[in-house]
Amino acid sequence: MKIFVFLVFFVAICEGQQNSSHIVHGLFVSRNTSSPLIHYGTYAIDNKQFTLINSLHVDQVGDITRREFNPLTYDPNTDVVYIVGLSKQNHSLLSVINATTGVLLKTFNPFENEIFSLQYDIFQKQLFAQMDTGREMELQVIEIDTSTGKIKRVLATIPQASPSQVSSYCPICRKYFFMIRDRDNFTYVGVDSTDAGGVSWRTPIDVRPSSIHFDYKTFTMYIAFTNKTERARFQLGMLNRTIGTVGNIIYTFDERHIPTPVSAFDIAEKLYYSFILSFQPLDFEASYVNVNTGAGQQVQVPRETPDAIGWFVKQFVH
């Protein structure tokens, strides 16, 4: 009897460890894009298992499927997710979701201008956004009051800039990092989120980025990108933020892979997650790469699984 109990206990531990690895939280939509539902749940990459936590109607949080940009950011202090959808009047709707239950906690009054990305400072407990100013080719970075959903202050205004949703944040150096684009060229921008605000730097880069993630423990900016100088290949590397080049290639995907902006970074396990489009056959895959060892894995996503539109790794929950 003691042996049986031990075996059951051992199996339970192993299953728990397996189920706790390579899991991302996020927003998903059915491949039938006419569905009015946005799903909040988890996806276990190794097991190819999507778990639905809750579904939200576009009338509640806005339509995310009609937008090129799908801002999402996670606050582990209160265990909530901030998301942005598009109202019927084409205004940005900021909503707050319980990250455990998926329950909609609140939706604020709409912003007249479009929000392109969101970032949360887990130490200062502040919410920031990159948004349109309403003037042509001009962006601004703002702080949003999380109690009222209104603009608290403008950190910086960036002229001659077209948006992308590629962004990250450093809570130690208090910088909002994001990419702006000019046709096929991209520029790396850093904005100071302290009381001083302002643009810290603006550096052209020589690749086409699909996502970036800053590791504030090692002060390293990781970038998923397509190389412009060689035959187009999807790669993962380290971005030199001063001169705008990728100095160290961590992983190279094969030629049938095309990156999407959907990604996440596990700062504890040093894993870079990507949702990628693959050819031959045409389908989606989920990948994770250890940025320390360069070991990577791609796993085909079953066709019945809803498409990912935003991921994050749930960690450091208080």
Side-chain angles (χ1 to χ4, degrees), residues 104-158:
L104 177 64
L105 300 177
K106 65 179 71 173
T107 296
F108 295 106
N109 291 330
F111 290 88
E112 186 172 336
N113 297 324
E114 185 171 8
I115 293 176
F116 305 116
S117 65
L118 291 172
Q119 293 294 333
Y120 192 83
D121 189 321
I122 61 175
F123 298 143
Q124 301 297 322
K125 301 179 182 180
Q126 294 172 297
L127 177 65
F128 302 104
Q130 174 203 171
M131 73 182 305
D132 187 17
T133 64
R135 293 181 289 272
E136 186 176 1
M137 295 285 292
E138 187 176 80
L139 305 174
Q140 61 184 357
V141 174
I142 62 169
E143 180 184 353
I144 298 176
D145 190 317
T146 55
S147 60
T148 65
K150 296 180 179 180
I151 297 176
K152 193 171 184 178
R153 62 189 174 114
V154 176
L155 303 178
T157 300
I158 301 94

Side-chain angles (χ1 to χ4, degrees), residues 9-296:
F9 181 70
F10 178 77
V11 170
I13 291 175
C14 291
E15 289 181 345
Q17 290 175 338
Q18 181 182 16
N19 291 338
S20 65
S21 63
H22 306 138
I23 294 176
V24 289
H25 284 67
L27 298 177
F28 303 79
V29 293
S30 300
R31 296 202 175 185
N32 172 17
T33 55
S34 63
S35 172
L37 297 178
I38 297 166
H39 307 301
Y40 176 75
T42 64
Y43 186 68
I45 295 176
D46 296 329
N47 300 333
K48 302 182 180 182
Q49 181 64 48
F50 170 71
T51 300
L52 175 66
I53 296 177
N54 193 26
S55 293
L56 304 168
H57 199 281
V58 295
D59 288 343
Q60 298 174 291
V61 296
D63 190 350
I64 295 179
T65 62
R66 290 195 293 120
R67 310 178 77 248
E68 178 186 357
F69 308 97
N70 301 305
L72 172 154
T73 193
Y74 174 60
D75 169 19
N77 299 286
T78 55
D79 194 31
V80 300
V81 185
Y82 294 94
I83 68 170
V84 173
L86 199 63
S87 72
K88 293 180 179 178
Q89 293 74 33
N90 291 328
H91 294 157
S92 290
L93 286 176
L94 175 66
S95 300
V96 189
I97 299 173
N98 183 298
T100 298
T101 64
V103 171
L104 177 64
L105 300 177
K106 65 179 71 173
T107 296
F108 295 106
N109 291 330
F111 290 88
E112 186 172 336
N113 297 324
E114 185 171 8
I115 293 176
F116 305 116
S117 65
L118 291 172
Q119 293 294 333
Y120 192 83
D121 189 321
I122 61 175
F123 298 143
Q124 301 297 322
K125 301 179 182 180
Q126 294 172 297
L127 177 65
F128 302 104
Q130 174 203 171
M131 73 182 305
D132 187 17
T133 64
R135 293 181 289 272
E136 186 176 1
M137 295 285 292
E138 187 176 80
L139 305 174
Q140 61 184 357
V141 174
I142 62 169
E143 180 184 353
I144 298 176
D145 190 317
T146 55
S147 60
T148 65
K150 296 180 179 180
I151 297 176
K152 193 171 184 178
R153 62 189 174 114
V154 176
L155 303 178
T157 300
I158 301 94
Q160 299 301 308
S162 291
S164 80
Q165 68 183 72
V166 179
S167 70
S168 190
Y169 188 81
C170 173
I172 300 294
C173 52
R174 299 181 69 181
K175 293 287 191 297
Y176 194 129
F177 305 114
F178 59 98
M179 300 289 181
I180 58 176
R181 56 188 176 185
D182 178 15
R183 296 181 181 177
D184 199 36
N185 299 313
F186 286 83
T187 297
Y188 175 79
V189 179
V191 169
D192 192 339
S193 66
T194 66
D195 292 341
V199 177
S200 299
W201 62 79
R202 183 170 175 165
T203 307
I205 64 171
D206 58 2
V207 297
R208 288 186 289 269
S210 59
S211 62
I212 55 174
H213 290 282
F214 190 80
D215 185 341
Y216 62 83
K217 293 188 175 182
T218 62
F219 274 69
T220 304
M221 179 65 80
Y222 296 103
I223 179 170
F225 67 96
T226 303
N227 202 313
K228 292 166 58 177
T229 58
E230 302 174 3
R231 185 167 56 178
R233 296 291 292 271
F234 173 31
Q235 297 178 302
L236 180 65
M238 297 180 184
L239 178 67
N240 184 316
R241 295 176 291 132
T242 303
I243 60 178
T245 61
V246 179
N248 184 20
I249 303 298
I250 298 170
Y251 192 84
T252 299
F253 294 80
D254 64 42
E255 293 179 343
R256 65 188 182 89
H257 289 126
I258 295 178
T260 77
V262 178
S263 66
F265 185 66
D266 185 331
I267 195 170
E269 300 297 327
K270 306 302 181 186
L271 294 174
Y272 199 115
Y273 291 95
S274 299
F275 186 59
I276 55 183
L277 179 65
S278 64
F279 291 92
Q280 300 174 357
L282 181 62
D283 222 325
F284 286 104
E285 294 182 7
S287 76
Y288 51 88
V289 175
N290 186 305
V291 296
N292 284 342
T293 66

